[in-house]
Amino acid sequence: MRKAAKLVVTATIAAGIVAVEAAAQSASSSNPFAGISRIFRGSDEPVTDEDGRVLGPPVELNVVIINGDEELERPVRNASLVSGALDEDRNTGQDVLAAARGDYARALGVMYDEGYFSAIINITLDGVEAAEIAPLDAPAYVGKVVIAVDPGPRFKFSRADLGPLAPGTTALEGYAVGETAGTGIIKRAASDAVGNWRDASHAKARVSGQEIIADHNVARIESDVDLNPGPAVTFGRLQATGNERLSTRRLLKIAGFPEGEPFDPEKLETVRKRLRRTGIFSAITLVEAETLNPDNSLDVGLTVVEQKLRRIGAAFEISTVDGAMFSAYWLHRNLLGGGERFRVEAEVSDVKADGDQLDYSFGMRVDRPATINADTTGYIDLQLEEENEPEYYKKSADIGIGFNYIRSERLSADIALLFSKSRVDYGSGYFDYETIALPTSVTWDRRDDMKNAKRGFWLSGSVTPFLGFNETGSGVRLTGEGRVYRSMLTDDRLTFAARARAGTVVGPDLIDIPPDYLFFSGGGGSVRGQPYESLGFDVPLQDTDEEAYVGGQSIVNLSVEARYQVREKIGAVVFVDGGQIWDEGVWQGETKSQSGAGIGVRYDTPIGPIRFDVATPIDPRDEDDSKVQLYLGLGQAF
């Protein structure tokens, strides 16, 4: 029988954490099996003693919810020490008894979190109440454990006071008179209120007092939580330790600590992100000082652990169409002691048994964080390539110096001064291209998940003015791409994704434009189901009877996908892609188009979904060697 009286529950709320001190209630006269139950076992192996003698079959754990919500079974089981012990094969009688005695408080804490303040809890070991077994009288073997919980009525708030609150803020939704009461919502409301004060520069805001009263006569909770916001705080000094090869001066510049500015937790997170982006550190810890300085400024301690200086890697791919590809790289994370990242990479591709000529590429790049300010990385990039394709032979060299600005994880920009020189043979002699360009791009990412988006959008645009020398034309290359995501059904199981890409080169004639600035269509990045770069133009070469196969001067690509989550980690996709190119700028002149459609599967991993697509042309051409294309990769197609 429940106590029909007012019970004061002693609670401590500190930094948004509530610790409830209460004794488990036991009622041996109740029927622990007249409810909702689930049976769990740890190992399938029998229980043995220290000498290997079999004591009995695997321990059985039965979680029973009596006259209550079956949704309570899972949190009780997850909080159970017995469940954890069985998962770890700690199944002796002493282990099970010790865990069971601790589960009274664990189960009661779950009930308090969910708003049940009159719960009755029974835990029996082979029919005997665990609380009645002395710790030194543990049986040698326990075959069956029953955790029976009668939650009783769910309490509601009759009073929900919290304050003072930060200007312009309100208490967390759900912490209000008439709403379901529980220590869980009280914890979240207190933590949210403290967080709002910290966002308003009160770094030492805390809970200063509280009272929680449970009235069992009417199943009501009176909650009163007092906050002490403390003074408004500014950032003091950053005290850095742990750096060995990276100079402290450079470390502080990379961190960009906002000394003297009003305290803001988000600014501390920005400092952590800047340091993480360098790739220099394996661990980064920021700790606020316990006390404020006399001027109400707050010092912060930074401790870093540097990664190994050098790293090497290699990759290998093989394709029935393109042959094999080998690549390797060497990386130095702190070349000159200022956080400079130096990477050298090389690749050999188109390795085929039929003896076709190989393709080569070689690159070197140096990135220097905090070159202009903490959010700007300067870089120097050198790329050398040689391509031997059926339609052309190209040798090229690019060298550029640029800056990458990261405004936030969502917004970034890049600008560079790039010198390019290439020689292309279309079969009737060499064409030399030489340009100086100023590529500038901006990316805005508002997806809810960068690896597997369900909602939001992604936008990117670039402008590349270029000046050509000798026979090379001059003009401007413009590109833009947008992606949008919308989901529906339970748990967003069905997601519609769309991508649109457009580009054009304004100024010179098609044959006078460097090949890298032109647009092909076909392949995994544009139109699946169509062979790679299968859509281009055959342009007559002056003073010859031959033609050059080149990309279009303008392009539009459209893709639509329907993604359905079949199971927790397995998804299915149906998609349609289309592309059209023009042989003149600003989408003028002769056009060619292609389209493809297909299906695919996705398998979710911590680093993104593994993608496998099968696609075929909607409008196949007679000269196509294959009517089916296969694509395997990491991450969604877009």
Side-chain angles (χ1 to χ4, degrees):
M1 181 175 179
R2 293 186 176 85
K3 184 178 179 182
K6 230 179 215 187
L7 171 67
V8 177
V9 179
T10 303
T12 301
I13 306 178
I17 301 174
V18 177
V20 179
E21 300 172 4
Q25 302 179 59
S26 172
S28 58
S29 62
S30 64
N31 180 5
F33 302 102
I36 301 161
S37 66
R38 300 289 187 273
I39 297 175
F40 303 94
R41 293 182 178 88
S43 171
D44 291 332
E45 298 296 325
V47 179
T48 59
D49 61 14
E50 295 179 355
D51 298 324
R53 291 190 295 264
V54 175
L55 299 177
V59 180
E60 181 181 296
L61 170 62
N62 197 347
V63 179
V64 182
I65 304 299
I66 303 171
N67 302 321
D69 186 353
E70 64 179 0
E71 296 294 328
L72 294 172
E73 174 270 323
R74 183 179 294 274
V76 170
R77 175 170 57 88
N78 290 342
S80 170
L81 296 174
V82 173
S83 178
L86 296 182
D87 286 342
E88 297 172 2
D89 289 334
R90 292 185 289 109
N91 49 21
T92 67
Q94 185 67 55
D95 289 332
V96 174
L97 175 60
R101 291 176 66 88
D103 271 352
Y104 287 102
R106 306 273 289 197
L108 189 62
V110 171
M111 293 299 104
Y112 280 7
D113 271 354
E114 298 296 330
Y116 298 94
F117 289 85
S118 296
I120 297 175
I121 300 168
N122 294 89
I123 301 176
T124 59
L125 309 183
D126 290 334
V128 180
E129 191 73 31
E132 298 175 0
I133 303 175
L136 298 180
D137 292 337
Y141 167 75
V142 175
K144 187 173 184 179
V145 180
V146 177
I147 301 176
V149 180
D150 184 352
R154 200 168 196 181
F155 284 52
K156 294 185 180 295
F157 284 115
S158 60
R159 183 160 65 98
D161 294 336
L162 174 65
L165 299 177
T169 66
T170 59
L172 187 69
E173 184 179 359
Y175 184 74
V177 173
E179 297 291 336
T180 298
T183 56
I185 185 63
I186 298 174
K187 285 186 286 186
R188 293 191 296 272
S191 177
D192 182 72
V194 169
N196 289 336
W197 275 115
R198 283 174 56 81
D199 290 341
S201 300
H202 292 257
K204 295 303 179 182
R206 59 183 177 86
V207 173
S208 58
Q210 69 285 318
E211 185 179 43
I212 303 171
I213 301 175
D215 188 341
H216 292 256
N217 291 319
V218 291
R220 292 293 183 267
I221 288 290
E222 297 180 15
S223 174
D224 184 13
V225 181
D226 296 325
L227 302 178
N228 179 5
V233 173
T234 59
F235 281 112
R237 300 188 63 183
L238 182 66
Q239 310 289 343
T241 59
N243 54 305
E244 298 177 359
R245 295 175 291 267
L246 179 66
S247 69
T248 300
R249 181 185 66 82
R250 285 290 297 156
L251 175 60
L252 296 178
K253 186 171 183 180
I254 293 170
F257 186 72
E259 183 175 341
E261 297 182 16
F263 175 84
D264 185 347
E266 189 61 33
K267 292 180 180 178
L268 280 183
E269 182 60 26
T270 299
V271 169
R272 183 179 287 107
K273 290 176 180 178
R274 288 169 180 154
L275 295 169
R276 190 185 306 124
R277 281 198 299 262
T278 65
I280 299 173
F281 310 107
S282 59
I284 301 165
T285 304
L286 287 166
V287 179
E288 299 172 18
E290 291 290 334
T291 58
L292 300 177
N293 296 322
D295 59 353
N296 286 334
S297 64
L298 176 68
D299 293 340
V300 176
L302 167 64
T303 303
V304 297
V305 178
E306 295 180 354
Q307 296 204 62
K308 293 182 179 180
L309 280 177
R310 299 169 184 84
R311 181 178 179 180
I312 59 173
F316 169 79
E317 293 180 6
I318 189 167
S319 167
T320 56
V321 177
D322 300 324
M325 182 278 292
F326 303 90
S327 65
Y329 72 88
W330 178 84
L331 174 69
H332 196 296
R333 291 190 172 94
N334 191 12
L335 185 64
L336 303 176
E340 299 83 4
R341 183 184 180 95
F342 179 53
R343 181 184 175 103
V344 179
E345 56 189 358
E347 179 181 304
V348 179
S349 58
D350 209 13
V351 182
K352 300 180 181 178
D354 57 13
D356 281 357
Q357 291 183 305
L358 306 179
D359 295 339
Y360 302 92
S361 68
F362 174 81
M364 293 191 302
R365 180 175 171 123
V366 178
D367 290 89
R368 184 179 185 270
T371 298
I372 297 177
N373 57 38
D375 294 316
T376 303
T377 296
Y379 63 85
I380 299 175
D381 192 17
L382 170 66
Q383 298 292 327
L384 305 175
E385 292 186 0
E386 182 178 346
E387 298 180 51
N388 290 277
E389 302 298 331
E391 295 84 5
Y392 64 88
Y393 165 82
K394 186 181 78 169
K395 184 183 294 186
S396 64
D398 300 319
I399 185 168
I401 180 171
F403 301 92
N404 181 251
Y405 174 68
I406 299 179
R407 177 65 180 84
S408 68
E409 294 293 308
R410 300 292 186 179
L411 183 63
S412 62
D414 192 281
I415 186 170
L417 182 64
L418 178 66
F419 175 75
S420 301
K421 186 176 179 63
S422 61
R423 169 168 283 195
V424 183
D425 183 3
Y426 293 111
S428 61
Y430 287 104
F431 285 76
D432 290 316
Y433 298 94
E434 192 173 342
T435 61
I436 290 181
L438 191 68
T440 305
S441 62
V442 177
T443 300
W444 187 22
D445 190 345
R446 296 295 299 174
R447 295 172 293 179
D448 61 343
D449 186 339
M450 297 181 185
K451 298 176 182 177
N452 189 9
K454 299 285 187 180
R455 301 180 185 278
F457 62 87
W458 183 93
L459 298 174
S460 180
S462 69
V463 178
T464 307
F466 60 93
L467 175 65
F469 298 96
N470 300 322
E471 302 298 323
T472 307
S474 301
V476 178
R477 187 179 194 261
L478 305 170
T479 64
E481 182 174 337
R483 307 171 188 176
V484 63
Y485 307 87
R486 293 291 182 270
S487 295
M488 57 188 64
L489 301 184
T490 305
D491 298 327
D492 291 340
R493 295 177 71 88
L494 179 61
T495 300
F496 291 99
R499 174 180 65 181
R501 181 173 72 104
T504 188
V505 181
V506 181
D509 294 331
L510 185 60
I511 197 64
D512 297 327
I513 300 173
D516 290 343
Y517 286 13
L518 299 177
F519 305 98
F520 285 101
S521 184
S526 55
V527 180
R528 288 163 288 183
Q530 299 285 354
Y532 177 68
E533 293 190 351
S534 57
L535 193 65
F537 288 102
D538 293 311
V539 179
L541 297 176
Q542 190 174 5
D543 300 328
T544 72
D545 295 331
E546 298 184 8
E547 295 179 330
Y549 181 71
V550 299
Q553 195 164 336
S554 300
I555 191 172
V556 170
N557 282 126
L558 298 173
S559 298
V560 178
E561 287 192 349
R563 306 168 181 171
Y564 184 74
Q565 199 69 27
V566 179
R567 300 180 64 181
E568 182 180 358
K569 291 186 176 296
I570 299 176
V573 176
V574 178
F575 58 85
V576 177
D577 298 338
Q580 183 165 320
I581 60 174
W582 288 257
D583 67 352
E584 295 181 13
V586 201
W587 302 278
Q588 301 293 318
E590 181 186 348
T591 66
K592 288 186 178 182
S593 61
Q594 61 181 188
S595 56
I599 59 176
V601 295
R602 305 289 185 267
Y603 182 79
D604 289 341
T605 71
I607 57 175
I610 296 175
R611 178 180 78 255
F612 177 70
D613 291 334
V614 180
T616 186
I618 296 178
D619 52 346
R621 299 177 301 178
D622 294 337
E623 64 269 23
D624 289 345
D625 295 332
S626 174
K627 298 300 188 291
V628 176
Q629 304 288 326
L630 306 179
Y631 304 92
L632 179 65
L634 181 63
Q636 295 286 5
F638 57 88

